């Protein structure tokens, strides 16, 4: 009788533990699904660029758009959209040698990324490290049970989290804006080049030109439960175009 009673108590304990694990897993997945059910898109710029107002005759700009990420983007369409937005603002798109402003854009990385990695890429600023898809994506929390019920709870948790994932995609873009100057601008470039593992080569270049340069980095993020890349890209591109069109 005592043995039967102990077995019954053990079975009840396992059942309660498993039920608790299942409930926790379901609650975690439900919470993630509710909190991130709508597409949330944000764009941040590492540095603000201020340009002096110019007369209409000097509202001319040359736009150069490049994509060096490992994802395929319709660069021509993006450049046309930026051109159209700038034209609506009163600017004229002209060749390089006729432009008062020059807007150069390079998409460095597009892919899954944690929000922390995206923020770090923004903090690094123009030319800094860009954390790509290897940084990983944030997924739903995983809850497991205790005791023998943990095995059941873990299985339920894995199923729940495989169906409900909090996914973030990020687009990291470096931007250089140049303004033509009537006076000559002195420029000095210093660089340190790694030679093997124990030595470096230092270079210094000095000269003059007629361009004043400003640099910034734009990081756009799209977040939603079970977000697909094909759904994230249009939102990211739209935010990037909107941000770039407002620089001038």
């Amino acid at each position: 009788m005592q043995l039967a009673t102990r077995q019954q108590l053990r079975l009840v304990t396992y059942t309660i533990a498993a039920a608790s694990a299942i409930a926790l897993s379901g609650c975690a997945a439900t919470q993630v699904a509710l909190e991130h059910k709508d597409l949330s898109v944000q764009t941040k710029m590492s540095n603000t660029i201020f340009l002096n107002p110019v007369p209409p005759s000097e509202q001319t700009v040359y736009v150069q758009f490049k994509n060096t990420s490992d994802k395929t983007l319709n660069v021509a369409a993006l450049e046309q959209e930026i051109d159209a937005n700038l034209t609506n603002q009163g600017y004229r798109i002209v060749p390089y040698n006729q432009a008062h402003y020059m807007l150069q854009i390079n998409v460095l990385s597009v892919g899954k990324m944690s929000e922390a990695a995206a923020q770090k890429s923004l903090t690094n600023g123009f030319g800094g490290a860009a954390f790509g898809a290897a940084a990983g994506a944030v997924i739903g929390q995983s809850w497991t049970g205790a005791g023998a019920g943990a095995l059941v709870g873990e299985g339920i948790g894995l199923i729940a989290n495989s169906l409900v994932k909090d996914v973030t995609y990020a687009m990291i873009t470096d931007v250089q804006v140049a303004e033509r100057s009537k006076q000559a601008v002195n420029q000095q470039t210093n660089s340190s080049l790694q030679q093997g593992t124990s030595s470096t080569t230092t270079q210094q270049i000095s000269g003059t030109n007629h361009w004043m340069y400003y640099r910034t980095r734009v990081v756009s993020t799209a977040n939603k439960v079970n977000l697909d890349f094909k759904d994230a890209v249009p939102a990211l591109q739209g935010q990037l175009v909107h941000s770039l069109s407002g620089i001038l």
Side-chain angles (χ1 to χ4, degrees):
M1 288 293 295
Q2 293 180 351
L3 179 59
T5 301
R6 285 198 299 268
Q7 290 176 340
Q8 291 174 349
L9 289 175
R10 190 178 296 113
L11 179 60
V12 170
T13 301
Y14 291 168
T15 302
I16 293 174
S20 299
I22 293 171
L24 288 172
S25 298
C27 288
T30 301
Q31 182 178 359
V32 170
L34 291 175
E35 290 179 352
H36 303 277
K37 63 183 178 65
D38 298 321
L39 180 64
S40 174
V41 185
Q42 296 184 0
T43 295
K44 297 179 181 179
M45 189 177 293
S46 63
N47 300 96
T48 301
I49 295 177
F50 292 102
L51 300 172
N52 294 323
V54 296
S57 60
E58 294 183 356
Q59 290 182 346
T60 55
V61 56
Y62 168 75
V63 179
Q64 182 185 70
F65 197 113
K66 293 184 177 181
N67 172 32
T68 57
S69 73
D70 61 349
K71 300 294 190 298
T72 300
L73 303 176
N74 192 337
V75 172
L78 288 171
E79 190 168 328
Q80 288 176 4
E81 192 172 350
I82 294 172
D83 291 351
N85 287 353
L86 292 174
T87 299
N88 290 335
Q89 296 176 31
Y91 289 90
R92 288 181 291 116
I93 309 302
V94 298
Y96 166 80
N97 59 353
Q98 301 175 20
H100 182 75
Y101 293 111
M102 180 166 53
L103 178 60
Q104 295 174 289
I105 306 140
N106 181 29
V107 178
L108 300 175
S109 174
V110 186
K112 285 184 179 181
M113 185 181 298
S114 70
E115 293 184 4
Q119 180 59 44
K120 191 170 183 179
S121 294
L122 179 69
T123 303
N124 286 339
F126 182 98
F131 298 89
V138 178
I139 62 174
Q141 299 178 13
S142 176
W143 294 84
T144 58
L151 296 176
V152 178
E154 183 176 357
I156 297 297
L158 289 173
I159 294 173
N161 287 325
S162 67
L163 298 176
V164 179
K165 294 182 179 179
D166 176 15
V167 181
T168 298
Y169 282 93
M171 177 179 286
I172 302 170
T173 307
D174 276 352
V175 182
Q176 178 170 271
V177 179
E179 181 178 7
R180 196 181 293 275
S181 172
K182 295 178 181 179
Q183 290 77 35
V185 178
N186 295 322
Q187 181 175 318
Q188 179 174 303
T189 302
N190 298 316
S191 59
S192 182
L193 308 178
Q194 187 72 30
Q195 296 287 350
T197 58
S198 59
S199 63
T200 59
T201 297
T202 301
Q203 295 180 344
Q204 185 180 81
I205 303 173
S206 299
T208 59
N209 58 41
H210 287 269
W211 291 99
M212 295 287 294
Y213 291 97
Y214 309 89
R215 292 172 170 177
T216 188
R217 170 168 287 182
V218 178
V219 176
S220 301
T221 59
N223 173 265
K224 187 182 179 182
V225 167
N226 297 340
L227 181 63
D228 290 330
F229 179 73
K230 62 180 179 63
D231 295 326
V233 169
L236 293 172
Q237 292 181 156
Q239 284 290 306
L240 176 62
V241 168
H242 175 77
S243 181
L244 294 174
S245 302
I247 288 180
L248 298 181

